[in-house]
Amino acid sequence: MKILVIAEHDNHTINAATENVITAGLSLGDGVDVLVAGHQCRAVAEKLSILKGVNQVLMADHQVYQHHLPENCAKLIAQQASEYDAVLGAANTFGKNLLPRVAALLDVEQVSDVIEIQSETIYKRPIYAGNIIQTVENKERIKVLTIRTTAFAGQQVEQDPVQILDLDTVIDNTQSRFVGLEQTQSTRPDLTAAKVVVSGGRGFQNSENFTLIEKLADALGAAIGATRAAVDAGFVANDYQIGQTGKIVAPELYIAIGISGAIQHLAGMKDSKYIVAINKDPDAPIFQIADVGIVGDLFEILPALEEALKKQNLIT
Amino acid sequence: MIILVPVKRVIDPYVRVRVKNDQIDKTNLNMTMNPFDEIAVEEAIRMKEKNPAVEIILVSVGDGDCQETLRHGLALGADRAIHVATENELLPLAIAKILQVMSEKNNVDLVLMGKQAIDGDHNQTGQMLAALLDWPQGTFASQVDLDKAEVRVTREVDGGLETLALKLPAVLTTDLRLNEPRYAALTHIMKAKNKPLESIPLEALGVEATDKQKILKVELPPVRQGGKMVSSVDELVECLAQAQVLPL
């Protein structure tokens, strides 16, 4: 199969998700081509050209592609895609925005959020926020897939640089205009990409108490999450919400504090590698799925846990 | 200004879905409007409250029960509804093709829809519709400001907020933070019974669905082996150290 991977970048650096997508692509074929659309993005193309598994980099470097707007980028990708058997992107806000538009231009159905590739045509994907796993057979002429990056390894091995092919296709976009990007001002990692997530629920009782979570999170270099109940009660803003209608996370370590474990919350975090639950109710459903649980008052356990981790030099 | 709001009938997000005979067991489950679509309906109603010249058309594709979901949307404040009747479960591109016909037929200026349905979780239909119509798209919207010929949309992207200006007509898909949907007042529920709801068979639209994609199986994910309890913080720390999940 001939595979085309769509690179995600900010014209200077590659988003790590692209490397997970390359790994997924290599389970479909012997090598992948990577398309970089952007402006003054040669550095990105050069970095991609030395990643093992990459056969060729296609680069469309022009002002019209600077902000990666889907109106013209999708047309550019669809033009190139006719030479390929599969087009892959990450199932994050970048890929989710762009790839379905490409699929529609190619007149094929897409498969979203692929977590396992069994063969060229058969894949697994979560539905109902991961409560059900679906096996899909896809016989479309061109396979357009978005890849759940947490399910595929990142790619780090390097090779001698391969060819960078300049694409001179310039497709103008008069329909949409980039106004600005306000990056979340946080020293903490992004919730969906964090290795450690410390998450709080209604057990914190109010927003002032909820700030107690910050100390532990910062000591662990963790992102902070919350349940829908905590968000609805006004403890934290909506973008902290983990669950079926919020963000889906799968970190190495998930510490659930004062969280009972409602179905809709579990749907957003149960693929975490290691789950710790702290709750005063011994019957809370969260304990059934946690790797380790402790029953008690979070206002006593939280400081004691910080202290104990510090004493053993396990955190800073 | 005509706003089209596609809505999907889904299993209540607070209900646990089950698998029976390799299929999702939908018997006796509470059904509801897809939560993201509810946010789209709310946003359209707010636009209408600012500008009474706005007309809100709802559309839903599926079996006869979808009409109940459409009535709910009418009770919330939409003007009229179209039910595209089919017993088949259609994939996003087929739905997008139906919505393309609906948008063209009804001279739609703006499509407001949920970013994804909470059952299939595809997150594709809005983007596909925008491609088919060759309209700009503003996905995962957390703020929308409507001007005469332009719409400003703030998008929730990984790690931040991106703002775009789109020329109308356009397709917008809603994220959670856009608004908090209202409840339907009893008087509005009564009034909604008299609002126009038209049902069209899918065949009348000339849209063909692909048979290139098939669901081979649905299953529950592997069950997590949890349940270990400790009685002290020291034991907890020991577990964490053993599992080697701490960043240091």
Side-chain angles (χ1 to χ4, degrees):
Chain A
M1 275 187 117
K2 279 195 80 185
I3 322 290
L4 183 65
V5 166
I6 310 305
E8 179 179 1
H9 61 94
D10 61 1
N11 296 318
H12 307 288
T13 50
I14 314 166
N15 185 312
T18 306
E19 303 194 29
N20 304 81
V21 180
I22 292 171
T23 305
L26 292 175
S27 61
L28 283 169
D30 293 333
V32 301
D33 287 4
V34 182
L35 189 148
V36 181
H39 183 44
Q40 296 173 344
C41 55
R42 181 161 291 274
V44 174
E46 281 171 358
K47 274 175 212 150
L48 286 163
S49 75
I50 57 163
L51 292 182
K52 199 166 172 10
V54 175
N55 288 340
Q56 182 178 234
V57 179
L58 313 178
M59 182 178 70
D61 187 339
H62 194 278
Q63 212 175 338
V64 294
Y65 305 124
Q66 183 177 2
H67 299 292
H68 319 109
L69 297 176
E71 287 75 14
N72 55 347
C73 284
K75 286 177 185 165
L76 173 77
I77 296 165
Q79 258 181 25
Q80 297 299 320
S82 52
E83 305 285 319
Y84 291 88
D85 302 303
V87 180
L88 272 60
N92 55 20
T93 52
F94 170 77
K96 285 174 175 178
N97 187 44
L98 188 56
L99 270 285
R101 192 156 178 134
V102 174
L105 293 176
L106 296 171
D107 196 28
V108 298
E109 294 281 0
Q110 176 187 298
V111 182
S112 295
D113 269 311
V114 171
I115 55 167
E116 189 183 318
I117 295 173
Q118 294 187 336
S119 72
E120 287 184 358
T121 54
I122 299 176
Y123 339 108
K124 284 190 176 186
R125 60 178 300 263
I127 55 173
Y128 290 94
N131 284 307
I132 306 274
I133 306 295
Q134 189 181 56
T135 305
V136 187
E137 184 183 36
N138 178 22
K139 290 189 170 168
E140 292 283 11
R141 177 172 54 88
I142 301 171
K143 278 83 181 156
V144 180
L145 314 178
T146 62
I147 302 298
R148 172 81 58 104
T149 53
T150 51
F152 295 88
Q155 166 106 357
Q156 271 107 26
V157 187
E158 295 192 353
Q159 64 178 6
D160 291 330
V162 293
Q163 187 196 198
I164 297 172
L165 184 72
D166 283 286
L167 302 178
D168 48 18
T169 322
V170 176
I171 303 172
D172 206 11
N173 170 21
T174 54
Q175 298 180 313
S176 67
R177 182 164 50 84
F178 176 82
V179 177
L181 175 67
E182 183 190 318
Q183 276 171 304
T184 307
Q185 292 300 323
S186 171
T187 49
R188 298 193 188 98
D190 178 50
L191 194 50
T192 50
K195 289 207 157 49
V196 183
V197 173
V198 184
S199 194
R202 202 154 30 189
F204 278 88
Q205 296 167 356
N206 58 51
S207 55
E208 198 181 316
N209 287 345
F210 201 90
T211 58
L212 293 174
I213 218 169
E214 291 174 3
K215 235 171 109 192
L216 179 64
D218 291 340
L220 289 167
I224 295 178
T227 63
R228 182 166 185 160
V231 172
D232 287 348
F235 300 175
V236 280
N238 250 336
D239 57 343
Y240 284 76
Q241 189 186 320
I242 293 168
Q244 176 138 338
T245 47
K247 293 191 163 113
I248 312 275
V249 301
E252 299 285 321
L253 173 62
Y254 189 93
I255 305 180
I257 308 168
I259 290 174
S260 65
I263 301 169
Q264 88 92 28
H265 182 73
L266 300 185
M269 47 65 80
K270 67 183 171 49
D271 288 331
S272 306
K273 301 245 161 53
Y274 197 85
I275 298 173
V276 176
I278 301 168
N279 200 296
K280 64 176 184 204
D281 174 11
D283 297 324
I286 188 83
F287 287 127
Q288 288 164 23
I289 66 141
D291 294 280
V292 58
I294 181 165
V295 178
D297 183 350
L298 70 90
F299 299 108
E300 286 167 20
I301 291 175
L302 209 47
L305 178 60
E306 272 172 46
E307 194 63 31
L309 287 169
K310 233 178 246 169
K311 218 162 45 192
Q312 304 224 19
N313 292 319
L314 292 168
I315 55 172
T316 44
Chain B
M1 171 168 224
I2 298 172
I3 304 178
L4 185 75
V5 186
V7 295
K8 186 175 185 184
R9 185 175 172 83
V10 297
I11 296 174
D12 187 315
Y14 292 101
V15 164
R16 186 181 286 277
V17 279
R18 288 177 298 258
V19 174
K20 199 173 154 189
N21 303 328
D22 280 342
Q23 299 229 320
I24 289 162
D25 182 11
K26 290 187 180 172
T27 45
N28 296 324
L29 285 186
N30 209 13
M31 302 294 282
T32 178
M33 185 187 286
N34 178 40
F36 290 104
D37 301 344
E38 246 180 345
I39 294 172
V41 173
E42 174 67 32
E43 196 64 18
I45 296 166
R46 291 183 189 188
M47 287 174 181
K48 191 182 168 74
E49 283 168 347
K50 279 188 203 152
N51 174 9
V54 164
E55 184 190 11
I56 304 170
I57 308 173
L58 302 177
V59 57
S60 191
V61 182
D63 63 21
D65 291 341
C66 290
Q67 294 194 10
E68 191 187 294
T69 307
L70 289 169
R71 285 283 173 216
H72 171 63
L74 291 171
L76 289 169
D79 296 292
R80 61 188 178 95
I82 303 165
H83 168 219
V84 178
T86 174
E87 296 294 323
N88 297 331
E89 292 240 7
L90 301 179
L91 287 167
L93 183 61
I95 301 282
K97 286 178 178 176
I98 293 168
L99 298 177
Q100 179 190 11
V101 175
M102 289 293 143
S103 303
E104 286 166 349
K105 250 190 175 171
N106 293 288
N107 299 313
V108 167
D109 302 290
L110 181 68
V111 179
L112 261 170
M113 58 196 288
K115 71 168 181 180
Q116 70 191 72
I118 58 154
D119 48 7
D121 280 339
H122 294 288
N123 196 329
Q124 299 175 10
T125 311
Q127 296 87 312
M128 287 180 155
L129 174 62
L132 297 175
L133 290 164
D134 197 19
W135 289 2
Q137 70 187 45
T139 53
F140 330 140
S142 66
Q143 199 187 327
V144 175
D145 294 301
L146 203 54
D147 205 344
K148 275 207 173 61
E150 207 180 70
V151 57
R152 242 173 215 243
V153 51
T154 302
R155 308 178 51 234
E156 287 196 13
V157 295
D158 295 327
L161 296 170
E162 182 190 62
T163 304
L164 301 176
L166 312 178
K167 276 189 190 160
L168 289 173
V171 178
L172 302 181
T173 76
T174 61
D175 217 320
L176 279 177
R177 287 207 293 175
L178 183 58
N179 61 49
E180 233 174 88
R182 69 193 66 193
Y183 294 97
L186 185 62
T187 49
H188 292 169
I189 296 172
M190 302 306 288
K191 253 198 259 171
K193 290 185 178 157
N194 298 320
K195 285 186 178 176
L197 193 163
E198 170 193 10
S199 187
I200 310 171
L202 172 64
E203 296 71 34
L205 299 180
V207 171
E208 270 185 51
T210 174
D211 54 0
K212 302 265 169 57
Q213 255 190 43
K214 254 198 334 229
I215 296 163
L216 299 182
K217 197 163 79 173
V218 290
E219 62 196 319
L220 294 173
V223 180
R224 262 196 97 90
Q225 294 295 326
K228 182 184 165 147
M229 301 298 290
V230 294
S231 51
S232 74
V233 168
D234 288 339
E235 283 174 76
L236 179 61
V237 170
E238 206 171 294
C239 288
L240 285 171
Q242 261 174 22
Q244 297 185 318
V245 286
L246 290 167
L248 280 189

